[in-house]
Every structure is written in C-alpha cells, then in structure tokens.
Amino acid sequence: MAECHAQQVLAIYQAGIDEGDATFETEAPTWSAFDAARLPAHRLVIMDGSGEKLLGWIAATQVSDRCAYAGVVEHSVYVHPKARGQGVASALLDAFIDSTEAAGIWTIQSGIFPENTASLALHRRAGFRVIGTRERIGRHHDRWRDVVLLERRSVKEF
C-alpha cells in the first residue's frame, strides 16, 4: 500500500463505514492520519487484473508501545463491495499472516461487530479464535455495540 492507493483505500474504507457493521468510525480519515496510524511494513492491497482498480486492503496498527507487546498487532481488512465473494479478503489475510510471521509478530488481533458474520467466518477460517465479547463497549449511531475480540497466535516459536 502506497500513497498512490490513498484515494481508493479511503473510498473502500468509507464504503465499509457506510454499511454500518465494520467499525465505530463514522468517516474515513485523511490519508495523512491513516498513513501515520498504520504500520508501514504490514499494509497490503490487491489490485484487479489491469492494475488500476484496488479490490481490497489490509493494514495493522500497533497495539501498544510497551516492549512486551512488540509482537502484537491489530488489523483491519476491507474489500470493495463489488469484489466481495471472490476470495480477496482471504488472499489479503493470508498474505498479511505471512508478512507478520516473517516479521516476528506472534499475535494478530481484531475486534469485529457480531453482526459482521462474513468477517467472523473469514477470520475463523484463517485460524483466529474468539477470545470473548466486549459487551456494550462503545456507542455507534446512538446505540451500544458489542465487539467480538479475536486473535491468531503464530505457530512459530519466537
């Protein structure tokens, strides 16, 4: 993922936001804010066959700046609405797992709304397990929302 992808990345993010079950965010940030918050080494995109249209993206944020959590990241994966059901999210997540494994990341986590059943199924297929549900963790569009916390632990010994 590079700055040349910014407009399409943020448009796909906004589409997910608009659907209402992807994030607590209500609007996509500026590219500079997005870029500053995500780890440069773990941001990936998938383009269509022409190399011009971005189909989806995945990116990680640092969970904590404490050294004990150096190998723990939280990630988000978003797919263009017209590209869903084509394996884009699975390909992104598989490549992301390879990237984090190679970098010594031992835990990938994500918080997903329980209503986002497609994302929950995707993550289970990729080896994530449910840690628990954070009940009424935040308000979103004037209602309390739960978040299912998932994690994938590396199979490598670090």
Side-chain angles (χ1 to χ4, degrees), residues 53-56 79-89:
K53 183 170 178 154
L54 198 142
L55 302 177
V79 175
H80 190 286
K82 292 181 180 176
R84 293 186 188 147
Q86 300 174 25
V88 173

Side-chain angles (χ1 to χ4, degrees), residues 17-94:
I17 290 168
D18 292 345
E19 290 173 342
D21 285 330
T23 179
F24 280 106
E25 300 300 328
T26 56
E27 66 181 67
T30 63
W31 176 253
S32 60
F34 181 96
D35 184 49
R38 273 86 183 166
L39 299 171
H42 305 293
R43 300 188 297 192
L44 307 168
V45 297
I46 290 185
M47 306 299 290
D48 71 356
S50 72
E52 294 185 19
K53 183 170 178 154
L54 198 142
L55 302 177
W57 60 267
I58 192 166
T61 57
Q62 191 173 357
V63 169
S64 173
D65 59 1
R66 295 178 62 198
C67 63
Y69 295 99
V72 183
V73 297
E74 183 166 354
H75 81 289
S76 299
V77 59
Y78 285 80
V79 175
H80 190 286
K82 292 181 180 176
R84 293 186 188 147
Q86 300 174 25
V88 173
S90 292
L92 282 165
L93 194 51
D94 289 346

Side-chain angles (χ1 to χ4, degrees), residues 85-125:
Q86 300 174 25
V88 173
S90 292
L92 282 165
L93 194 51
D94 289 346
F96 179 77
I97 290 168
D98 290 345
S99 167
T100 57
E101 290 268 333
I105 303 294
W106 58 81
T107 302
I108 305 168
Q109 66 183 38
S110 188
I112 301 172
F113 289 136
E115 297 83 2
N116 194 342
T117 56
S119 187
L120 290 169
L122 165 74
H123 285 83
R124 285 189 182 111
R125 287 191 307 270

